[in-house]
Amino acid sequence: PGSPAPINYHHKVNLWFAGVSWQVTPKLRSRLTYMNSQLTGRCEWLVQLPIPGCVQKYQQESVVAELNYNVNSRNVVSLALTQYPVEQVNEVPAQGSVFKSTHQSLSVGWRKDWSANMFTVLQLTHAHYNRPYRRYALPGDDGLQKGNATAIGFRLGYKL
């Protein structure tokens, strides 16, 4: 096969973030955040082709609810729940498709301040997602691809 046709791809991104945090008790702090990102991509062929260019739209949101408990001045235990829906639309006349998925995760973390500058974080996360594949669903199938994952992470940090 020959090389692909040259193409110009134009992006436009809108992003906004909002969050609120409040002290529930002297040792317990709560935080709620929301992020919305929209990307629109438009492609134009640089040579004459019998097929049109494309428009792709990608939108993602993230909602996070978090509780942080100060065990003492050097130790914080956290619990976070995240909801992360994603939608992608391809607007090509012969290939129009909508892809939507939903990701959810639950995380538990422990932060230890070792000194005024050094800290570590140990985090355990369990995630779940649903992604439709309706074109390939069999009778009696809900048309969703489902997945689960569990991860453990360790971070070493330095504050200036």
Side-chain angles (χ1 to χ4, degrees), residues 10-159:
H10 304 277
H11 287 112
K12 179 182 177 186
V13 177
N14 292 317
L15 173 73
W16 62 277
F17 176 86
V20 62
S21 179
W22 63 96
Q23 200 73 36
V24 178
T25 69
K27 289 189 166 255
L28 184 65
R29 183 162 203 73
S30 179
R31 180 170 38 208
L32 184 62
T33 59
Y34 176 81
M35 184 272 304
N36 184 298
S37 172
Q38 299 169 346
L39 167 75
T40 301
R42 184 173 45 86
C43 56
E44 301 170 342
W45 300 111
L46 296 177
V47 295
Q48 187 72 21
L49 291 175
I51 59 173
C54 66
V55 175
Q56 295 177 324
K57 296 178 181 176
Y58 183 80
Q59 179 170 328
Q60 65 185 33
E61 295 177 308
S62 174
V63 177
V64 180
E66 185 176 340
L67 289 172
N68 297 301
Y69 180 75
N70 289 325
V71 177
N72 55 41
S73 64
R74 293 186 175 262
N75 292 280
V76 177
V77 177
S78 299
L79 177 69
L81 179 63
T82 303
Q83 176 94 3
Y84 190 80
V86 176
E87 179 175 321
Q88 180 176 343
V89 178
N90 295 316
E91 296 179 0
V92 177
Q95 303 169 2
S97 64
V98 176
F99 168 84
K100 292 182 180 183
S101 64
T102 301
H103 305 254
Q104 299 166 330
S105 68
L106 177 66
S107 298
V108 177
W110 169 41
R111 176 182 166 134
K112 168 81 173 175
D113 289 329
W114 296 96
S115 68
N117 301 95
M118 295 291 294
F119 66 91
T120 55
V121 177
L122 182 62
Q123 181 175 325
L124 176 66
T125 299
H126 179 75
H128 173 77
Y129 77 91
N130 289 323
R131 183 172 60 195
Y133 61 99
R134 288 186 184 88
R135 289 183 183 174
Y136 309 107
L138 300 173
D141 188 352
D142 64 4
L144 292 175
Q145 180 183 42
K146 300 173 183 174
N148 291 291
T150 301
I152 190 165
F154 179 77
R155 290 177 290 216
L156 173 62
Y158 183 79
K159 309 186 273 189

